[in-house]
């Protein structure tokens, strides 16, 4: 174990590191930190607990994970960052603990967080998400699996980004992004179906055709939101259509931020076009 830890690293005696963990020069690891097998921690990285990190993660130099949230409501309560397996957390990424006793900021498996990205308190990032350079996530953002966020964009607190969504660079995301869609611009708008991403993910021809019809109903018709949902019901009960309908309905519930509108026609009548 000693051969895998640089002699200049500072590790709290209560930290739990699997014997296969590698720690670079001048890294600092506090108490209440648990790191799983074959994870590498780069030079000058800082890990503070309560923090759990799974197996085979790559944490690059300068990353700071588990510090107190940047939230005026935080009052020193015991909260977490929990990170799964096989993630790549690049240089100078910051991931804050949650606000609220026992609450957590959660990162799933197989994600790539590029340099200078920030993950705020109480965020949830599911699996196989790519977050490009200098993306800032405010608190309570939820990103579903296989979403793609391009560089230098900001995401408002409590925004929900659907699975397989693609967001263009330098956008301002202040409302929910429906799954399977491509969003870009400032103000951000749903532009088209994320066909390239869906094909790469192995979607069947039938699923692609159904989602194309769903896109036309939502963003190229003159239907109201209620009527559009009824039309979506007629397209079938496939898994992806069900998830899209469920996402749209939840986004309209009280306390939610609503939906990013379309380029020419808002997905619901309360949004601007």
């Amino acid at each position: 174990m000693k051969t895998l830890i640089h002699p200049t690293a500072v590790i709290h005696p209560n930290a739990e590191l699997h014997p296969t963990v590698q720690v670079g020069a001048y890294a600092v690891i506090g108490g209440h930190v648990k790191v799983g097998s074959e994870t590498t921690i780069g030079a000058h990285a800082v890990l503070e607990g309560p923090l759990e990190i799974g197996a085979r993660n790559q944490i690059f130099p300068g990353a700071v994970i588990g510090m107190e949230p940047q939230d005026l409501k935080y009052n020193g309560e015991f909260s977490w960052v929990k990170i799964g397996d096989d993630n790549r957390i690049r240089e100078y990424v910051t991931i804050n603990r949650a606000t609220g006793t026992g609450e957590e900021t959660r990162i799933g498996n197989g994600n790539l967080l590029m340099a200078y990205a920030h993950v705020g308190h109480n965020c949830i990032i599911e699996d196989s998400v790519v977050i490009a350079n200098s993306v800032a996530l405010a608190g309570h953002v939820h990103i579903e699996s296989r979403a793609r966020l391009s560089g230098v964009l900001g995401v408002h607190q409590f925004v929900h980004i659907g699975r397989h969504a693609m967001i263009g660079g330098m956008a301002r995301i202040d409302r929910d992004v429906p799954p399977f869609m491509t969003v870009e611009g400032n103000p951000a708008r749903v532009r088209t179906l994320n066909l390239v991403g869906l094909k790469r993910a192995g979607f069947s021809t039938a699923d692609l055709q159904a989602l194309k019809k769903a896109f036309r109903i939502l963003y190229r018709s003159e239907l109201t939101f209620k009527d559009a949902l009824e039309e979506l019901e007629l397209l079938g009960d496939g898994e992806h259509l069900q998830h899209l309908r469920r996402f749209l309905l939840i986004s309209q519930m009280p306390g939610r931020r609503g939906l990013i509108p379309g380029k020419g026609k808002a997905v619901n009548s309360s949004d601007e076009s």
Side-chain angles (χ1 to χ4, degrees):
M1 180 175 180
K2 290 181 179 179
T3 60
L4 300 178
I5 298 177
H6 195 279
T8 61
V10 179
I11 301 176
H12 194 282
N14 291 337
E16 299 180 40
L17 275 60
H18 190 275
T20 58
V21 170
Q22 300 182 45
V23 182
Y26 300 102
V28 177
I29 301 176
H32 301 293
V33 174
K34 183 176 181 180
V35 184
S37 62
E38 300 180 67
T39 290
T40 60
I41 300 167
H44 297 278
V46 177
L47 309 183
E48 288 290 343
L51 167 63
E52 290 184 359
I53 299 175
R56 299 176 303 281
N57 293 285
Q58 295 176 275
I59 299 171
F60 283 73
V64 180
I65 304 174
M67 301 297 286
E68 291 185 358
Q70 299 174 94
D71 184 358
L72 294 175
K73 300 188 299 297
Y74 180 74
N75 196 31
E77 59 266 29
F78 191 90
S79 61
W80 292 87
V81 171
K82 294 185 179 180
I83 297 175
D85 303 329
D86 301 302
N87 297 287
R88 286 176 287 167
I89 299 172
R90 295 300 307 236
E91 296 84 354
Y92 304 103
V93 167
T94 54
I95 303 174
N96 290 166
R97 293 204 316 272
T99 296
T101 301
E103 296 295 321
E104 62 187 52
T105 300
R106 186 166 77 246
I107 313 291
N109 304 310
N111 300 292
L112 170 59
L113 279 63
M114 297 187 193
Y116 295 98
H118 172 70
V119 179
H121 61 88
N122 300 83
C123 285
I124 297 173
I125 299 174
E126 295 184 6
D127 302 326
S128 302
V129 171
V130 175
I131 298 177
N133 304 77
S134 300
V135 169
L137 306 182
H140 299 274
V141 170
H142 183 172
I143 304 178
E144 295 182 350
S145 295
R146 299 188 71 92
R148 300 290 186 264
L149 280 67
S150 302
V152 199
L153 62 83
V155 182
H156 197 283
Q157 61 187 4
F158 292 101
V159 160
H160 192 168
I161 297 173
R163 65 173 69 157
H164 294 278
M166 174 70 188
I167 302 177
M170 303 184 72
R172 177 173 61 89
I173 305 301
D174 60 354
R175 283 172 280 184
D176 293 348
V177 175
F180 318 117
M181 304 299 169
T182 295
V183 167
E184 64 178 1
N186 198 343
R189 294 288 183 266
V190 175
R191 303 293 177 173
T192 186
L193 195 67
N194 181 21
L195 276 176
V196 173
L198 299 181
K199 288 177 180 178
R200 288 175 177 172
F203 276 52
S204 69
T205 300
D207 285 334
L208 291 174
Q209 290 300 321
L211 289 173
K212 285 179 182 179
K213 292 177 182 177
F215 173 82
R216 288 194 290 269
I217 290 170
L218 291 167
Y219 299 104
R220 296 293 183 265
S221 74
E222 297 299 322
L223 295 173
T224 65
F225 180 68
K226 179 177 179 294
D227 290 341
L229 285 179
E230 292 177 356
E231 286 294 314
L232 291 185
E233 290 282 352
L234 301 177
L235 294 181
D237 58 356
E239 174 194 353
H240 304 305
L241 287 173
Q242 285 188 31
H243 182 73
L244 176 60
R245 290 194 296 263
R246 184 166 57 248
F247 186 102
L248 297 173
L249 285 169
I250 290 173
S251 291
Q252 301 302 301
M253 294 176 65
R256 298 297 310 165
R257 294 199 56 81
L259 292 159
I260 292 280
K263 181 179 178 181
K265 170 82 168 63
V267 73
N268 61 327
S269 57
S270 63
D271 284 327
E272 61 184 357
S273 60

